[in-house]
Amino acid sequence: MERYKQEFIEFMVDCGVLRFGDFVTKSGRKTPFFVNTGFYRNGAQLRRLGEYYARAIHDAFGTEFDVLFGPAYKGIPLSVAASMALSEHFDAEIRYCSNRKEIKDHGDKGILLGSPIADGDKIVIIEDVTTAGTSIEETMPILKAQGNVDVVGLVVSVDRMERGEGEKSALAQIQEKYRMKATAIVTMKEVVEHLYNRPYNGKIIIDDTLKSAIDAYYEQYGAK
């Protein structure tokens, strides 16, 4: 595993973004782990997060696209931080854009904030994590309503590696359905590989008991 991925896993733990316990996902699944990018809460954290995303975006899509779109609400700071990092580290001036939950009828009107989207724009969507693909189902109609655009891909922080509506992973399903590339900074397999029975900051984060719970979760919801 690349060193930057190991660093990103530890960064998530340090920020309280990657947690282990008893949680329920947006899709209603009970899970022993949870990723919540809402716990990135200061400038230093957001700057580092943007750098990790920028590296993953550059590796997967290069810089030959126009707009980085972050669905409201969590995608808004992600799109801003990553577009800044792409500018700083890869000399790429990528426009950022997000949507509003409610259409604004005065001033800067419409459903979008940030850069407008125009015919011919190539767009990469940035999200925190995709479990069952429900967020993309909401996002794609918004983008397609803006004109003849090309949504070239999706990048998330963590690939949970579990089924979407069928037997395949949510990211694999998104790739097939929308004919675009979907990638992640790290996968949950890499997270477990790096943290299982390995001391970090003086303690074992994933011990045998937690590893068994994660394995049981993937027996039920893991992608085939």
Side-chain angles (χ1 to χ4, degrees):
M1 188 192 317
E2 296 95 324
R3 179 59 194 162
Y4 88 92
K5 292 189 174 188
Q6 297 175 356
E7 292 175 356
F8 179 63
I9 293 167
E10 294 168 2
F11 172 62
M12 287 193 292
V13 172
D14 291 341
C15 295
V17 168
L18 174 61
R19 299 186 175 195
F20 299 95
D22 296 310
F23 307 97
V24 178
T25 67
K26 184 178 180 180
S27 58
R29 297 173 179 175
K30 293 182 179 180
T31 172
F33 56 89
F34 198 73
V35 179
N36 185 352
T37 57
F39 283 92
Y40 296 118
R41 291 176 173 172
N42 62 47
Q45 292 171 346
L46 287 173
R47 179 170 182 166
R48 285 189 64 188
L49 178 63
E51 291 170 351
Y52 288 121
Y53 266 111
R55 178 159 179 176
I57 291 167
H58 182 265
D59 288 351
F61 306 106
T63 56
E64 298 302 312
F65 65 98
D66 305 293
V67 178
L68 190 60
F69 184 86
Y73 288 107
K74 291 181 181 178
I76 297 174
L78 298 182
S79 64
V80 173
S83 63
M84 292 173 67
L86 284 165
S87 175
E88 181 178 356
H89 296 283
F90 297 101
D91 196 28
E93 296 308 318
I94 305 297
R95 288 143 44 205
Y96 92 91
C97 181
S98 296
N99 65 294
R100 296 183 172 96
K101 289 289 187 179
E102 297 179 358
I103 297 176
K104 190 177 179 183
D105 60 3
H106 62 281
D108 183 16
K109 297 181 180 180
I111 196 172
L112 301 182
L113 57 92
S115 171
I117 295 175
D119 285 349
D121 277 343
K122 294 182 178 180
I123 302 171
V124 172
I125 301 171
I126 182 170
E127 288 212 272
D128 55 350
V129 63
T130 295
T131 301
T134 52
S135 178
I136 296 299
E137 295 283 349
E138 299 168 357
T139 299
M140 291 300 288
I142 294 171
L143 296 176
K144 294 298 184 180
Q146 306 309 311
N148 184 22
V149 300
D150 180 12
V151 183
V152 298
L154 165 70
V155 60
V156 300
S157 59
V158 180
D159 179 0
R160 291 181 59 102
M161 301 179 66
E162 58 193 79
R163 295 195 304 273
E165 295 177 356
E167 294 298 307
K168 296 181 179 180
S169 73
L171 288 187
Q173 199 169 313
I174 288 168
Q175 288 189 119
E176 289 188 1
K177 182 173 183 178
Y178 297 106
R179 297 181 182 180
M180 67 179 187
K181 186 171 185 177
T183 190
I185 302 174
V186 294
T187 67
M188 272 308 297
K189 181 179 180 181
E190 290 170 328
V191 169
V192 174
E193 174 188 333
H194 184 58
L195 295 179
Y196 176 49
N197 276 345
R198 178 177 297 172
Y200 178 65
N201 284 343
K203 67 177 183 177
I204 300 295
I205 296 173
I206 300 181
D207 58 14
D208 290 338
T209 300
L210 181 54
K211 176 65 160 52
S212 295
I214 293 172
D215 290 344
Y217 182 79
Y218 280 110
E219 281 292 321
Q220 184 174 5
Y221 295 116
K224 304 298 181 183

